[in-house]
Amino acid sequence: MNKSALRFVAGNGLLDRRAFLKSGYGLSLAAAIGLSPAGRVLAQGEPPMPAWMTSLGGADVEYGSPSAHERQVLRQLQPSTAQTAGFSIWHSPLQHQRGSITPSGLHFAVHHNGIPAIDPERHQLMIHGLVERPLRFDLERLIRYPMVSRIQFLECAGNTAANALSPTARNADCQALFGQLSGAEWTGVPLSYLLREAGVKAEARWVICEGADGGSHSRSLPLTKLMDDAIIAFYQNGERLRPSQGYPLRLFVPGWEGNVSVKWLHRLEVSDSPVFSKDESGLYTRILSDGEILAFGFPMEVKSVITHPSGQQQLPELKGFYEVSGLAWSGLGRIAKVEVSADNGHSWAPAQLHAPVLDKALTRFSIPWQWTGAATTLLSRATDALGNTQPSRSEWRSRYAAHSFNHYNAIQAWRVSSSGEVENVYA
Amino acid sequence: MNKSALRFVAGNGLLDRRAFLKSGYGLSLAAAIGLSPAGRVLAQGEPPMPAWMTSLGGADVEYGSPSAHERQVLRQLQPSTAQTAGFSIWHSPLQHQRGSITPSGLHFAVHHNGIPAIDPERHQLMIHGLVERPLRFDLERLIRYPMVSRIQFLECAGNTAANALSPTARNADCQALFGQLSGAEWTGVPLSYLLREAGVKAEARWVICEGADGGSHSRSLPLTKLMDDAIIAFYQNGERLRPSQGYPLRLFVPGWEGNVSVKWLHRLEVSDSPVFSKDESGLYTRILSDGEILAFGFPMEVKSVITHPSGQQQLPELKGFYEVSGLAWSGLGRIAKVEVSADNGHSWAPAQLHAPVLDKALTRFSIPWQWTGAATTLLSRATDALGNTQPSRSEWRSRYAAHSFNHYNAIQAWRVSSSGEVENVYA
């Protein structure tokens, strides 16, 4: 290791990225090799060429899949939901992902009533209530409206509930703890176009948004937000929505708790008040520690998690270089800053934010780390463009009534033991 | 239609986007509906609720797939390659995609020697030649280096060859003509890190990059470019590369013709000169019209295509509103401008570029269009941040020798007949 590369920016081995990467450093991760005099042939003692280098390869297919060697990278069914007919929660494998796009096949999903098998030729979207012209669209016509695309995150209100609820930190991986979170490019028709065409009446304030699933999942949403940036989404990551994500169409409400982006959307009723559907008065209302009820608190607060290294991973070498990498997001705007601590919060250094840093989108952060080998705790703390930052777990807990778990966004702590095991802890 | 919305910005119906979208316009695409007095129930004569609205839906799975109703959206094997052992070209279905991300399962691919079935535990990357320290990496170590992510396009040098070669315009769809083009988020280790660690010698100018496929696909690339922005890519759209894209690792060289982003990369030999491999002296050398040989002309030139509407589509109504939408890209930088003509080039209007507009990335553009119903020809013309713009077909043809087809980037023309058929033509 070239020592000039080791310009420390915070305690316990966090490194200055520029000095580190621009130097002629060595991570000591490669094996030096001896070459024969010809310089191009393989070294002595080298195993023979593998079969795939000495024969023609196999055929491709019309729709590709991951390698058979990556079969362990799957969505995970949250065990508590497995036995409940119709209700299921599927987590994204964040610890296996890099970048900020979640492949559509691994996007998290929460289903209240299972996945309806909708025939797109029979599906319609109706807009009615406090409008001048009640309208109904079939899919073939709706899809001809002007579209926009945005890369944005979706997070379930209940993501990371275990850390909110469990008195002691549950030993679990990043997928189990944070996996109700994904990022994708969503494409569709701005809802404002359709509402303007229907002619919203002056007294309108809310829109009741209902899905075509068996249980008619429905939420009341403020008209202002729907006119601002909500879309009727048809495409995710360049192809039509998958059934799990609302095929043939869903509402997508940027930055707000996932369940209001109503899947399989078929009805929008413009109203002067919310409807207090079972879905909003029950599951998604919060109670503050002073007993106040927080209904219709939609935006997901600023949050971050280190995905590499993270819970239940095993560091392959017991000291030396690691890149600390993770995701940050805020339902209120862009991520402005992510700080990382490698000494349980005694000192912090700013991580690099990887471009593009987009509004209400997953933002990848990273910082190089020279691990001494001693046990320590890694933390990340995100701040958004509005200046909101993450609370500690105790600060978060003191804000909400006992047994609260929605919108948990406290600073996450991963303990790294001297034997290289990474574990979820409360800092 | 609210006539105030129709502020024209170019001939034959191209509309001002802001005036169009901000007005209380009606696209006349919805059916007005009569509601019962209660206001919430379905209209009289409405068919009964479909079964999916009155019962619990189905279960989800660990790795999701597109809807069964979208089974026609597939990559397409270029027919001329179907019978050639090992060599195949698969086209992306651009006319079915929206936004700027291509789903990994639909990413285009050109295989010179089929897909090798590589065991990632046995795969290594070697760096040798004009370096101080020849190095060999196994995958487990290489993947611990710091990574970057970038959303960028990949295009085959031979994309749109039919329009270069065929004396009369071939009646084909956007996928067949332009489908050797895709966009994705690529994540990996900057090659500069590894070359610095190996210690490149002063006389080094080139790097010979070789794949582990049976035919050892290899290209010589200038050291400057590889030090600038090339990466060893491990991830595409958040998950590990698929076999078709080079699993377990590939070179990714932003903006340059696709074949130099060597898949299944296993060897980098630093050199003072190119090696003139079969792959570079044969397929990918160009001949100019004056007989000059253009070898090592790597960057893909600025280009665009309207995907909606495009070849062999049938417009569902024979006049009225359509969004004209397409993709633009340049291997030399960001897209600065896309102009659209709805009157075969007599007049042009700037299209909207959808954010984020990224360096060497697919950029979605769109413009609203009020079609009169008369036959016409749609064109798009992109300009990049360096001021490069697309030539006409005759300008392109006059630059290259007869039978040239690589790097074809002329302005594309789609003829719209009065019966709503869209056809590839030469403008």
Side-chain angles (χ1 to χ4, degrees):
Chain A
M1 173 65 76
N2 178 337
K3 294 294 176 190
S4 73
L6 299 182
R7 198 159 85 204
F8 295 107
V9 289
N12 200 22
L14 290 178
L15 295 169
D16 181 279
R17 179 178 61 90
R18 287 193 177 77
F20 180 70
L21 297 179
K22 294 273 161 76
S23 69
Y25 70 93
L27 294 187
S28 307
L29 294 179
I33 49 177
L35 296 175
S36 76
R40 287 199 191 172
V41 300
L42 292 172
Q44 285 190 333
E46 194 67 13
M49 276 198 183
W52 61 77
M53 287 185 65
T54 57
S55 57
L56 280 180
D60 209 335
V61 293
E62 291 175 313
Y63 197 101
S65 298
S67 162
H69 296 283
E70 302 297 323
R71 283 204 183 115
Q72 77 286 8
V73 182
L74 294 170
R75 302 194 301 173
Q76 206 172 54
L77 183 63
Q78 187 172 296
S80 63
T81 69
Q83 305 304 324
T84 312
F87 187 72
S88 63
I89 303 180
W90 295 85
H91 288 231
S92 278
L94 302 179
Q95 73 277 21
H96 294 297
Q97 296 176 226
R98 290 276 191 166
S100 56
I101 298 287
T102 306
S104 299
L106 296 173
H107 198 284
F108 94 90
V110 177
H111 306 305
H112 293 81
N113 313 292
I115 301 177
I118 295 178
D119 176 354
E121 302 211 342
R122 291 179 61 200
H123 187 77
Q124 295 187 318
L125 177 65
M126 177 164 66
I127 302 181
H128 68 133
L130 294 176
V131 295
E132 302 296 341
R133 291 170 294 282
L135 298 173
R136 181 180 299 139
F137 300 87
D138 59 26
L139 204 64
E140 186 198 316
R141 284 167 167 249
L142 195 50
I143 215 159
R144 286 173 49 197
Y145 278 75
M147 292 197 195
V148 298
S149 297
R150 301 196 198 101
I151 296 173
Q152 286 169 323
F153 79 86
L154 201 64
E155 185 186 19
C156 180
N159 195 24
T160 327
N163 278 2
L165 289 170
S166 177
T168 56
R170 184 183 297 175
N171 181 2
D173 66 12
C174 194
Q175 178 166 14
L177 292 167
F178 284 84
Q180 295 174 38
L181 169 76
S182 300
E185 184 194 51
W186 299 93
T187 297
V189 175
L191 184 48
S192 62
Y193 299 177
L194 308 182
L195 290 171
R196 281 204 193 94
E197 182 167 345
V200 172
K201 291 186 176 171
E203 63 269 33
R205 294 291 177 277
W206 293 80
V207 180
I208 299 146
C209 309
E210 187 183 87
D213 49 337
S216 299
H217 177 72
S218 60
R219 292 296 311 258
S220 310
L221 295 172
L223 182 62
T224 48
K225 174 71 173 178
L226 298 185
M227 291 296 287
D228 177 26
D229 64 359
I231 65 172
I232 306 295
F234 297 101
Y235 293 84
Q236 180 188 9
N237 293 339
E239 66 189 345
R240 294 293 299 277
L241 294 184
R242 291 170 172 206
S244 173
Q245 294 300 323
Y247 182 86
L249 60 88
R250 78 180 300 170
L251 188 61
F252 190 84
V253 186
W256 286 20
E257 55 183 37
N259 74 91
V260 309
S261 286
V262 174
K263 291 183 283 199
W264 314 295
L265 184 74
H266 84 122
R267 192 170 74 87
L268 296 166
E269 181 180 351
V270 182
S271 172
D272 57 358
S273 60
V275 74
F276 294 101
S277 73
K278 70 182 187 311
D279 303 300
E280 62 202 15
S281 53
L283 273 177
Y284 296 109
T285 288
R286 282 173 280 168
I287 306 178
L288 301 182
S289 52
D290 62 5
E292 195 189 332
I293 303 290
L294 184 63
F296 309 114
F298 298 112
M300 295 308 292
E301 290 81 359
V302 63
K303 190 167 170 181
S304 69
V305 64
I306 294 169
T307 56
H308 302 75
S310 61
Q312 298 189 333
Q313 288 184 340
Q314 169 67 49
L315 295 187
E317 290 177 55
L318 298 185
K319 69 177 202 174
F321 176 81
Y322 287 93
E323 182 178 54
V324 174
S325 173
L327 293 167
W329 63 100
S330 168
L332 294 162
R334 275 188 309 104
I335 289 297
K337 181 172 65 171
V338 178
E339 297 159 297
V340 171
S341 174
D343 56 11
N344 200 18
H346 292 294
S347 64
W348 299 82
Q352 178 189 10
L353 303 184
H354 292 262
V357 178
L358 299 170
D359 185 50
K360 306 180 182 73
L362 294 187
T363 298
R364 176 65 60 176
F365 67 87
S366 69
I367 188 167
W369 179 43
Q370 183 69 18
W371 182 34
T372 64
T376 190
T377 300
L378 296 171
L379 311 175
S380 65
R381 179 173 65 192
T383 303
D384 68 22
L386 284 74
N388 303 299
T389 194
Q390 292 183 253
S392 68
R393 183 171 184 277
S394 60
E395 285 167 346
W396 190 92
R397 281 247 48 97
S398 68
R399 175 165 154 71
Y400 291 101
H403 314 303
S404 294
F405 61 88
N406 280 326
H407 288 247
Y408 180 84
N409 72 323
I411 291 168
Q412 171 63 21
W414 300 119
R415 181 80 179 158
V416 180
S417 77
S418 59
S419 54
E421 291 155 345
V422 188
E423 194 178 349
N424 178 35
V425 292
Y426 296 154
Chain B
M1 172 66 75
N2 177 336
K3 292 296 174 186
S4 73
L6 298 182
R7 201 159 81 203
F8 295 106
V9 289
N12 201 20
L14 290 177
L15 296 168
D16 182 278
R17 179 179 61 90
R18 288 195 175 77
F20 180 70
L21 298 179
K22 292 275 161 74
S23 69
Y25 70 93
L27 294 187
S28 308
L29 294 179
I33 49 177
L35 295 174
S36 76
R40 286 198 191 172
V41 299
L42 294 172
Q44 284 190 332
E46 195 67 13
M49 275 198 183
W52 61 77
M53 288 186 65
T54 57
S55 56
L56 280 180
D60 210 336
V61 293
E62 290 175 314
Y63 197 101
S65 297
S67 162
H69 296 283
E70 302 295 323
R71 281 202 185 116
Q72 77 285 9
V73 182
L74 294 170
R75 302 195 300 173
Q76 206 171 54
L77 182 63
Q78 188 173 296
S80 64
T81 70
Q83 305 304 322
T84 313
F87 187 71
S88 62
I89 303 179
W90 294 84
H91 288 230
S92 278
L94 301 180
Q95 72 277 22
H96 294 297
Q97 295 176 228
R98 289 278 191 167
S100 55
I101 297 287
T102 306
S104 299
L106 296 173
H107 198 286
F108 95 89
V110 177
H111 306 305
H112 292 81
N113 312 291
I115 302 177
I118 295 178
D119 176 354
E121 302 210 341
R122 292 180 60 202
H123 188 78
Q124 295 187 318
L125 176 66
M126 178 164 66
I127 301 180
H128 70 133
L130 293 176
V131 295
E132 302 295 343
R133 293 170 292 282
L135 298 173
R136 183 180 298 138
F137 300 88
D138 60 24
L139 205 63
E140 188 199 314
R141 282 166 168 250
L142 195 51
I143 213 159
R144 286 172 50 196
Y145 279 74
M147 293 198 195
V148 297
S149 298
R150 301 196 197 103
I151 296 173
Q152 284 168 326
F153 79 86
L154 200 65
E155 184 185 18
C156 179
N159 194 25
T160 327
N163 278 2
L165 289 171
S166 177
T168 56
R170 185 183 296 174
N171 181 4
D173 65 13
C174 194
Q175 177 165 14
L177 293 167
F178 284 84
Q180 295 173 39
L181 169 76
S182 301
E185 184 194 51
W186 299 94
T187 298
V189 175
L191 184 49
S192 61
Y193 300 177
L194 308 181
L195 290 171
R196 282 206 193 92
E197 181 165 346
V200 172
K201 292 187 176 172
E203 63 271 33
R205 295 289 178 276
W206 293 80
V207 181
I208 299 147
C209 309
E210 186 183 87
D213 48 339
S216 299
H217 177 72
S218 61
R219 291 299 309 258
S220 310
L221 295 172
L223 182 62
T224 47
K225 173 70 174 178
L226 298 185
M227 291 296 287
D228 177 26
D229 65 359
I231 65 172
I232 306 294
F234 298 101
Y235 293 85
Q236 181 188 6
N237 293 339
E239 66 189 344
R240 294 293 297 279
L241 294 184
R242 291 168 173 208
S244 172
Q245 294 301 321
Y247 182 87
L249 59 87
R250 77 179 300 170
L251 187 62
F252 190 85
V253 186
W256 286 19
E257 55 184 39
N259 74 91
V260 309
S261 285
V262 175
K263 292 183 284 198
W264 315 293
L265 184 74
H266 85 122
R267 191 170 74 87
L268 296 165
E269 181 181 351
V270 182
S271 173
D272 58 358
S273 60
V275 73
F276 294 100
S277 72
K278 70 181 187 310
D279 303 300
E280 61 203 14
S281 52
L283 271 177
Y284 296 110
T285 288
R286 281 173 279 167
I287 307 177
L288 302 182
S289 51
D290 62 2
E292 195 188 333
I293 303 288
L294 184 64
F296 309 116
F298 298 113
M300 296 307 292
E301 291 82 359
V302 62
K303 191 167 169 181
S304 69
V305 63
I306 294 169
T307 56
H308 302 74
S310 62
Q312 299 189 333
Q313 288 183 338
Q314 169 66 49
L315 296 187
E317 290 177 56
L318 298 185
K319 67 177 205 175
F321 175 82
Y322 287 92
E323 182 178 53
V324 173
S325 172
L327 294 167
W329 63 101
S330 167
L332 294 161
R334 275 187 311 103
I335 289 297
K337 180 172 67 170
V338 179
E339 297 160 295
V340 171
S341 174
D343 56 10
N344 200 20
H346 292 292
S347 65
W348 298 82
Q352 179 189 9
L353 302 184
H354 292 264
V357 178
L358 300 170
D359 186 50
K360 305 181 184 72
L362 293 187
T363 298
R364 175 64 58 176
F365 66 86
S366 69
I367 187 166
W369 180 43
Q370 182 71 17
W371 182 34
T372 63
T376 189
T377 300
L378 296 171
L379 311 175
S380 64
R381 179 174 66 193
T383 303
D384 69 21
L386 283 75
N388 303 298
T389 193
Q390 293 182 256
S392 67
R393 183 171 184 275
S394 59
E395 286 166 347
W396 190 91
R397 281 245 49 97
S398 68
R399 177 166 152 72
Y400 292 101
H403 314 303
S404 295
F405 61 88
N406 279 328
H407 289 247
Y408 180 82
N409 72 324
I411 292 168
Q412 171 63 23
W414 299 120
R415 180 79 178 160
V416 180
S417 75
S418 58
S419 53
E421 291 155 345
V422 188
E423 194 178 349
N424 179 36
V425 293
Y426 296 154

